[in-house]
Amino acid sequence: MSAKAPVFLLVLINILLILSTSACARMMITGRVVDAETGKPIENAAVHIYWGKMGPGPPGLAGYVTVEVAEDLTDVKGLFNVPKYSILLNHYYLTIYKKGYVCWSNKKIFPTYEERKGFRLKDGMVIELEPFKEEYSREKHAYFTVFSSINRNEPGLFDDAIKSERELRSKIIRRKRNRGK
């Protein structure tokens, strides 16, 4: 056996250990929220991120297990910080809301509910919020906003920000129930 074999084996073991421990490593990344029309930063936009991983159970029936839910408010420069997990943990929902703007989701686009394509969660990302237009349905936007962020186990910044959207959605549900009676 050559003298190089044990050295190679040690190097290989160290590389595998580094990769396995950093595969789900958590780090913080910064993003920026701006007005889609003016490019100006948006202050106090609520940012919500849910990280999950495949839970136990048979293939196709296993759900997701919450790893972390985090929130932040943008500062005067429109900056926010959220956790990001590397490599193996890539199931997340990022939602951003500011009253007067269309709720932004990394999964769907309002008002068409078209799937958002090409978005990557990365440090330095810029999210453009579209000002809410009169032709949009406030009711549909309330539903979109409330259901765009998931696994809010405890009330927080995002829940405070979408309070009016949640109240509108509740009012619509009550109205529909009363019509059915």
Side-chain angles (χ1 to χ4, degrees), residues 88-107:
L88 297 179
L89 194 61
N90 61 7
H91 181 76
Y92 66 91
Y93 290 92
L94 177 65
T95 311
I96 302 172
Y97 176 82
K98 171 76 175 181
K99 190 168 181 77
Y101 289 88
V102 172
C103 182
W104 187 95
S105 162
N106 73 302
K107 298 294 182 186

Side-chain angles (χ1 to χ4, degrees), residues 31-34 41-47 72-81 96-98 129 157:
R32 188 164 182 246
V33 178
V34 299
I42 298 174
E43 184 178 7
N44 291 322
V47 180
D72 197 9
L73 286 177
T74 56
D75 65 13
V76 295
K77 296 178 183 176
L79 298 175
F80 66 89
N81 293 300
I96 302 172
Y97 176 82
K98 171 76 175 181
L129 292 188
L157 297 171

Side-chain angles (χ1 to χ4, degrees), residues 17-116:
L17 280 173
I18 290 168
L19 287 176
S20 67
T21 56
S22 67
C24 286
R26 178 188 185 270
M27 61 187 125
M28 294 300 286
I29 60 172
T30 300
R32 188 164 182 246
V33 178
V34 299
D35 184 296
E37 293 178 359
T38 67
K40 291 182 180 177
I42 298 174
E43 184 178 7
N44 291 322
V47 180
H48 177 272
I49 191 163
Y50 161 88
W51 282 98
K53 66 179 181 177
M54 190 62 82
L61 297 176
Y64 285 96
V65 175
T66 301
V67 173
E68 182 174 3
V69 175
E71 300 176 314
D72 197 9
L73 286 177
T74 56
D75 65 13
V76 295
K77 296 178 183 176
L79 298 175
F80 66 89
N81 293 300
V82 293
K84 180 177 188 230
Y85 289 84
S86 61
I87 305 175
L88 297 179
L89 194 61
N90 61 7
H91 181 76
Y92 66 91
Y93 290 92
L94 177 65
T95 311
I96 302 172
Y97 176 82
K98 171 76 175 181
K99 190 168 181 77
Y101 289 88
V102 172
C103 182
W104 187 95
S105 162
N106 73 302
K107 298 294 182 186
K108 302 282 181 184
I109 300 170
F110 184 84
T112 62
Y113 285 80
E114 173 185 332
E115 186 178 325
R116 186 175 301 279

Side-chain angles (χ1 to χ4, degrees), residues 115-133:
E115 186 178 325
R116 186 175 301 279
K117 295 180 181 161
F119 174 77
R120 291 180 43 95
L121 191 63
K122 62 184 178 189
D123 197 39
M125 65 189 149
V126 176
I127 308 289
E128 295 181 343
L129 292 188
E130 176 189 350
F132 195 86
K133 295 182 170 60

